[in-house]
Amino acid sequence: MTEVRRTAAASASLWERDEEVAALAEAVDSLCADRSSSGSLLVLRGEAGLGKTALLAETRRIAEQRGCTVWSARGGETLRSVPFNVVRQLLQPALVPMLPEEAREYLGDWYEIAGPALGIAEPGEGHADPQSVCDGLVAAVTRLARRDWPLVLLIDDAHWADQETLHWLAAFAERLQDLSVLVVVARRPGEISGVAARHLDAVAAAADRPTTVLSALTPAAAAGLTRATLGETADAAFCREVWAVTGGNPYETVELLAKVQDSELEPVESHAGELRDLNRSARGGGLVARLEQLGIDVTRFAWAAAILGTDITVDLVARLATLDPDDATRCAERLRAARILTTPDRATGRTGPADLEFVHPLIATAVYNSIPDALRRAMHGIAARLVTDSALGAAAAARHLLEVHPDDDEELVAQLREAAREHLAVGAPDAARRCLERALEEPPRPEVHAGVLYELGRATFLTAPARTIGHLRTALGMTGLDEDQRVDAVVRLSQALLHNDQMEEAVRTVEAEAARMEPGPARMRLQAVQYMWEGLHAGETTSPDRSERLAELAATCTGRDNSERALLILRGFDAMMRGENAEEILELVDRALVNGRLAPGMGWTDSEWGVELLLMLAGVYAYTDRLDRAESMYNEALRSYESAGWSGGHLALAHAYVGLGHRRRGRLEAAETSLRAALRIAERVGRGLPLYWTATCNLVDTLLARGHVEEAQQVAEQHAFAPPYPSTIALPDPRSVRGRLLLAMGRTKEGVNELDAAGKAATARGHHNPVHVFWAADLARALATEDPARAARLAVDLRRRAERFGTDTAIGEALRVAAALETGQRAVRLAGQAVAYLESSPCQYEHAAARIEFGALARSEADLTRGLSLARSCGADGLTARAEAELRTVAARVPSG
């Protein structure tokens, strides 16, 4: 048999890893070749002991030889509950040397967002948005990567990384095309599930090449390693037994051979039978038995080190194990000699205070699992006190508090609640959830039980609406919440029901709570929320007198507080949707402003009222021809969310409504850009949500206005823009937009049916605004030939509603429809009237269309030329082509000479 050899300089753990080392060296060389080269990601996967850590160490050696900056981090089995643990380790070499002012200047706007998660800035008072924090971390590492090129990031035991780090890593992996940085991730198969597993799968999917799966050593390689360690005298039978008892696991092989050397066992066939006993002493129960043989003090020291898991210092272990300093030092030496603990390799660049670390995670796991259950829980309790006494905060102690045995401890509940608040402040709601769920196991005293459930409901609101519903319902069924907490819990419960597509229950929940309260600000707030959800509900179950009741309540409001301002906005939105007089509507909603601006406490990032109310206000302005105010609000929302670092659903909505503003104004190219940005973010947040429908609906409508029918069809198919429709109102009406799409695609019968359905749904809701719900206009045009009588009735009714609403856009659009159904001079006259109204409208696309239609009917080259100019400035390619064709026709009819 041919033996597999390696050079003497090669690490024993890298035996038979030539191919993997070559791939890593090639990746480093590619990184160093050009500062503008794309980044790359490699994933190493293998069972424990197959050499992942050794390959990362070799990557570091190669990279540093080539002048790279190398940062590394490692997940820990007992540290998975510590949010941002691994990403903090990774960035320590860059962040620790910086003064706070330097870090603030370097990270810029991201300092307040990512700084608390990285432990370099104090968290704010509220709840940080997890997606924003993730994006802030991506931005921070991106800036550092550009500063420290060529940069190599090494992450070991990623299967044990905290969920927050994996979220960042998955997002960062998507950016590698734009960055010159090498990322190498090592992980075991399995070991992880749920959200964290999905993040790791996303990391693997972003890799440049398929995941490298490490295999065990072959018998030949095990023989070569045995002889390289013990000498050429090791016979074939002994070498084969080494391979057999270790299964070719490189780590176990190295450890076994070290024990053979320690025992001075001759490597011959007659001693091969002793290898199994030696191997058992290196892991599992054998390791525990060997540890016990070292004495009770040494065992306690090892247990305490396993409890700490990271940053293991002799002093801290001594206090946890209740050993005096001299005894602790002796214990540490004995554990080093036994190859259980070792001195950390400072070449890794880590900056923690550790004096010691476990030789291998397998050893750390075996030691930790060997601690008797009751003692392990008690030691975690002591560790929590040590951390707390060190003034590191409740969040730092939380991982130990989570492991303490439930014992009706009031102080422990208070500590866990404080830890949850700290976790929420840095953008780690899942960590907060774990703390509060553990607090419930204690259990809390009756007087605070509802408060813990309320806090748990708030913690899960962004990540698990279904859980929030259960927690808040239970809390509301108990005593212990004050009035403000109770009202807030009801509002949040209704929001969770809304996001869980349970709109009817959301409405009824708020209605029931409002009914049991005495008149006053709290009740008025709940009534406002009820009307808000009803106003957004697209179903047909709203009580028929809702608008009348809302009008009566709003009539008593002067706008003296935010509850009254909310009711004025809701009344204005309802009136706009119903198509009441626009001037009266504007008078209503203007009273909800303070000096023309949003009132304090009702800003885009304020949490009491939520984004829905402000979007309703901006929607009123958008559809009453006050586009200046609507666009100002949409842009303010976008600036607010970007500066606050909110990059989830709120930012998607902001981009979508900025796009809606552009679409209403007639800036179609700008609208398409904003709406595609909204849809990209909405994809990340989740399909099927109301914000997803808003982005898709507006993009389809904008593409149709541009004349890009095929693209509109592709977007509709790709993003499932089809029934069933969402339970919430979207602007503009999705049924009307889809009917328009079907007509543009030539599917006339389906389009007519869809527009008919849109009309029935709108009528059932009392929604008669001819601009927002434009089904009648498109249906009249579609029926002009097939059913002219019905088309005429639709046009008359549309004009009546437009005149009632009273905006230039509504009346002008109604006149366009009337002109399309007429012939001769009557058609010309109506088209001319449409132009006169739409010329005064802020909606340039509609003006362009009306101008071109009038020019074609009147054979007016001047009007067609003006319409062509307007269409081009809108980016309306379909209108532009039509205007050019009509101009050619008019020119052909003009006699020559």
Side-chain angles (χ1 to χ4, degrees), residues 375-404:
L375 178 59
R376 183 174 68 249
R377 290 177 178 271
M379 292 182 75
H380 274 296
I382 297 169
R385 280 202 300 275
L386 291 174
V387 172
T388 303
D389 291 345
S390 300
L392 297 176
R399 75 177 184 91
H400 298 297
L401 295 172
L402 291 171
E403 302 299 329
V404 175

Short mmCIF file of all heavy atoms in Angstrom, two decimals, residues 375-404:
data_model
loop_
_atom_site.label_atom_id
_atom_site.label_comp_id
_atom_site.label_asym_id
_atom_site.label_seq_id
_atom_site.Cartn_x
_atom_site.Cartn_y
_atom_site.Cartn_z
N LEU A 375 -26.16 20.80 40.60
CA LEU A 375 -24.96 21.60 40.81
C LEU A 375 -24.73 22.55 39.65
O LEU A 375 -24.34 23.70 39.84
CB LEU A 375 -23.75 20.67 40.99
CG LEU A 375 -22.40 21.38 41.19
CD1 LEU A 375 -22.43 22.29 42.41
CD2 LEU A 375 -21.27 20.34 41.32
N ARG A 376 -24.99 22.07 38.44
CA ARG A 376 -24.79 22.93 37.26
C ARG A 376 -25.71 24.15 37.34
O ARG A 376 -25.28 25.28 37.09
CB ARG A 376 -25.08 22.14 35.97
CG ARG A 376 -24.81 22.94 34.70
CD ARG A 376 -24.96 22.12 33.44
NE ARG A 376 -26.34 21.72 33.21
CZ ARG A 376 -26.80 20.48 33.31
NH1 ARG A 376 -25.97 19.49 33.65
NH2 ARG A 376 -28.06 20.20 33.09
N ARG A 377 -26.95 23.94 37.71
CA ARG A 377 -27.88 25.06 37.83
C ARG A 377 -27.43 26.04 38.93
O ARG A 377 -27.49 27.25 38.77
CB ARG A 377 -29.28 24.55 38.10
CG ARG A 377 -29.93 23.84 36.91
CD ARG A 377 -31.30 23.29 37.28
NE ARG A 377 -31.94 22.64 36.16
CZ ARG A 377 -32.72 23.25 35.26
NH1 ARG A 377 -32.93 24.56 35.38
NH2 ARG A 377 -33.29 22.59 34.28
N ALA A 378 -26.96 25.47 40.04
CA ALA A 378 -26.49 26.33 41.14
C ALA A 378 -25.27 27.14 40.73
O ALA A 378 -25.14 28.33 41.05
CB ALA A 378 -26.18 25.47 42.35
N MET A 379 -24.35 26.50 39.99
CA MET A 379 -23.15 27.22 39.54
C MET A 379 -23.50 28.33 38.56
O MET A 379 -22.88 29.40 38.57
CB MET A 379 -22.15 26.24 38.92
CG MET A 379 -21.55 25.28 39.94
SD MET A 379 -20.33 24.15 39.20
CE MET A 379 -18.93 25.26 39.00
N HIS A 380 -24.51 28.10 37.73
CA HIS A 380 -24.96 29.18 36.84
C HIS A 380 -25.51 30.34 37.66
O HIS A 380 -25.31 31.51 37.31
CB HIS A 380 -26.03 28.66 35.87
CG HIS A 380 -25.48 28.04 34.62
ND1 HIS A 380 -24.76 28.75 33.70
CD2 HIS A 380 -25.55 26.76 34.14
CE1 HIS A 380 -24.40 27.96 32.70
NE2 HIS A 380 -24.87 26.73 32.95
N GLY A 381 -26.19 30.04 38.75
CA GLY A 381 -26.69 31.10 39.61
C GLY A 381 -25.56 31.92 40.21
O GLY A 381 -25.63 33.16 40.27
N ILE A 382 -24.50 31.22 40.67
CA ILE A 382 -23.33 31.93 41.21
C ILE A 382 -22.66 32.76 40.12
O ILE A 382 -22.27 33.91 40.35
CB ILE A 382 -22.33 30.92 41.82
CG1 ILE A 382 -22.98 30.17 42.99
CG2 ILE A 382 -21.07 31.63 42.28
CD1 ILE A 382 -22.16 28.98 43.48
N ALA A 383 -22.55 32.18 38.93
CA ALA A 383 -21.93 32.90 37.82
C ALA A 383 -22.73 34.17 37.49
O ALA A 383 -22.15 35.22 37.20
CB ALA A 383 -21.84 32.01 36.59
N ALA A 384 -24.05 34.07 37.55
CA ALA A 384 -24.89 35.24 37.29
C ALA A 384 -24.61 36.35 38.30
O ALA A 384 -24.53 37.53 37.94
CB ALA A 384 -26.37 34.85 37.32
N ARG A 385 -24.43 35.96 39.58
CA ARG A 385 -24.14 36.97 40.61
C ARG A 385 -22.77 37.61 40.38
O ARG A 385 -22.59 38.81 40.55
CB ARG A 385 -24.20 36.33 42.00
CG ARG A 385 -25.61 36.18 42.53
CD ARG A 385 -25.62 36.07 44.05
NE ARG A 385 -24.85 34.93 44.51
CZ ARG A 385 -25.33 33.68 44.61
NH1 ARG A 385 -26.59 33.44 44.26
NH2 ARG A 385 -24.57 32.70 45.05
N LEU A 386 -21.80 36.78 39.97
CA LEU A 386 -20.47 37.32 39.69
C LEU A 386 -20.51 38.35 38.57
O LEU A 386 -19.87 39.40 38.63
CB LEU A 386 -19.50 36.19 39.34
CG LEU A 386 -19.13 35.23 40.47
CD1 LEU A 386 -18.30 34.08 39.93
CD2 LEU A 386 -18.36 35.97 41.56
N VAL A 387 -21.28 38.03 37.52
CA VAL A 387 -21.39 38.95 36.39
C VAL A 387 -22.11 40.23 36.83
O VAL A 387 -21.69 41.34 36.50
CB VAL A 387 -22.15 38.28 35.22
CG1 VAL A 387 -22.44 39.30 34.12
CG2 VAL A 387 -21.33 37.12 34.65
N THR A 388 -23.17 40.06 37.59
CA THR A 388 -23.93 41.22 38.06
C THR A 388 -23.08 42.09 38.98
O THR A 388 -23.09 43.33 38.88
CB THR A 388 -25.20 40.77 38.79
OG1 THR A 388 -25.98 39.95 37.91
CG2 THR A 388 -26.04 41.96 39.22
N ASP A 389 -22.34 41.45 39.88
CA ASP A 389 -21.49 42.20 40.81
C ASP A 389 -20.38 42.95 40.07
O ASP A 389 -19.83 43.93 40.59
CB ASP A 389 -20.86 41.27 41.84
CG ASP A 389 -21.90 40.72 42.81
OD1 ASP A 389 -23.02 41.28 42.86
OD2 ASP A 389 -21.61 39.72 43.50
N SER A 390 -20.05 42.47 38.87
CA SER A 390 -19.02 43.15 38.07
C SER A 390 -19.59 44.33 37.29
O SER A 390 -18.88 44.91 36.46
CB SER A 390 -18.39 42.15 37.09
OG SER A 390 -17.78 41.07 37.79
N ALA A 391 -20.88 44.64 37.52
CA ALA A 391 -21.56 45.79 36.88
C ALA A 391 -21.61 45.66 35.36
O ALA A 391 -21.57 46.65 34.64
CB ALA A 391 -20.88 47.10 37.28
N LEU A 392 -21.71 44.41 34.87
CA LEU A 392 -21.78 44.18 33.43
C LEU A 392 -23.22 44.22 32.93
O LEU A 392 -23.45 44.16 31.72
CB LEU A 392 -21.13 42.85 33.06
CG LEU A 392 -19.64 42.74 33.36
CD1 LEU A 392 -19.12 41.35 33.04
CD2 LEU A 392 -18.87 43.79 32.56
N GLY A 393 -24.20 44.28 33.83
CA GLY A 393 -25.59 44.41 33.42
C GLY A 393 -26.33 43.09 33.42
O GLY A 393 -25.73 42.00 33.36
N ALA A 394 -27.66 43.21 33.47
CA ALA A 394 -28.51 42.01 33.52
C ALA A 394 -28.41 41.19 32.25
O ALA A 394 -28.47 39.95 32.28
CB ALA A 394 -29.96 42.43 33.77
N ALA A 395 -28.26 41.85 31.10
CA ALA A 395 -28.18 41.10 29.84
C ALA A 395 -26.97 40.18 29.80
O ALA A 395 -27.03 39.06 29.30
CB ALA A 395 -28.15 42.06 28.66
N ALA A 396 -25.83 40.66 30.35
CA ALA A 396 -24.62 39.82 30.38
C ALA A 396 -24.81 38.61 31.27
O ALA A 396 -24.23 37.54 31.02
CB ALA A 396 -23.44 40.66 30.85
N ALA A 397 -25.62 38.76 32.34
CA ALA A 397 -25.85 37.64 33.26
C ALA A 397 -26.96 36.72 32.77
O ALA A 397 -27.15 35.63 33.33
CB ALA A 397 -26.21 38.18 34.64
N ALA A 398 -27.69 37.13 31.73
CA ALA A 398 -28.91 36.42 31.33
C ALA A 398 -28.66 34.97 30.96
O ALA A 398 -29.47 34.10 31.29
CB ALA A 398 -29.58 37.15 30.18
N ARG A 399 -27.55 34.69 30.28
CA ARG A 399 -27.34 33.30 29.84
C ARG A 399 -27.21 32.37 31.03
O ARG A 399 -27.55 31.20 30.95
CB ARG A 399 -26.12 33.19 28.93
CG ARG A 399 -24.76 33.29 29.59
CD ARG A 399 -23.68 33.09 28.55
NE ARG A 399 -22.35 33.08 29.12
CZ ARG A 399 -21.74 31.96 29.54
NH1 ARG A 399 -22.37 30.80 29.47
NH2 ARG A 399 -20.52 32.02 30.04
N HIS A 400 -26.72 32.87 32.15
CA HIS A 400 -26.66 32.06 33.36
C HIS A 400 -28.02 32.02 34.05
O HIS A 400 -28.44 30.97 34.54
CB HIS A 400 -25.61 32.63 34.32
CG HIS A 400 -24.22 32.61 33.77
ND1 HIS A 400 -23.55 31.45 33.45
CD2 HIS A 400 -23.36 33.62 33.46
CE1 HIS A 400 -22.35 31.73 32.98
NE2 HIS A 400 -22.22 33.05 32.98
N LEU A 401 -28.70 33.14 34.09
CA LEU A 401 -30.02 33.19 34.72
C LEU A 401 -30.99 32.21 34.05
O LEU A 401 -31.85 31.62 34.71
CB LEU A 401 -30.58 34.61 34.64
CG LEU A 401 -29.83 35.69 35.42
CD1 LEU A 401 -30.39 37.07 35.09
CD2 LEU A 401 -29.92 35.44 36.92
N LEU A 402 -30.85 32.04 32.75
CA LEU A 402 -31.74 31.13 32.02
C LEU A 402 -31.61 29.69 32.49
O LEU A 402 -32.53 28.89 32.34
CB LEU A 402 -31.44 31.20 30.52
CG LEU A 402 -31.80 32.51 29.81
CD1 LEU A 402 -31.26 32.51 28.39
CD2 LEU A 402 -33.32 32.71 29.79
N GLU A 403 -30.45 29.34 33.06
CA GLU A 403 -30.18 27.95 33.45
C GLU A 403 -30.48 27.66 34.92
O GLU A 403 -30.40 26.51 35.35
CB GLU A 403 -28.71 27.62 33.17
CG GLU A 403 -28.29 27.80 31.72
CD GLU A 403 -29.06 26.91 30.77
OE1 GLU A 403 -29.47 25.80 31.20
OE2 GLU A 403 -29.29 27.34 29.62
N VAL A 404 -30.80 28.69 35.69
CA VAL A 404 -31.06 28.49 37.11
C VAL A 404 -32.39 27.78 37.30
O VAL A 404 -33.35 28.01 36.57
CB VAL A 404 -31.06 29.86 37.84
CG1 VAL A 404 -31.45 29.70 39.30
CG2 VAL A 404 -29.69 30.51 37.73
#
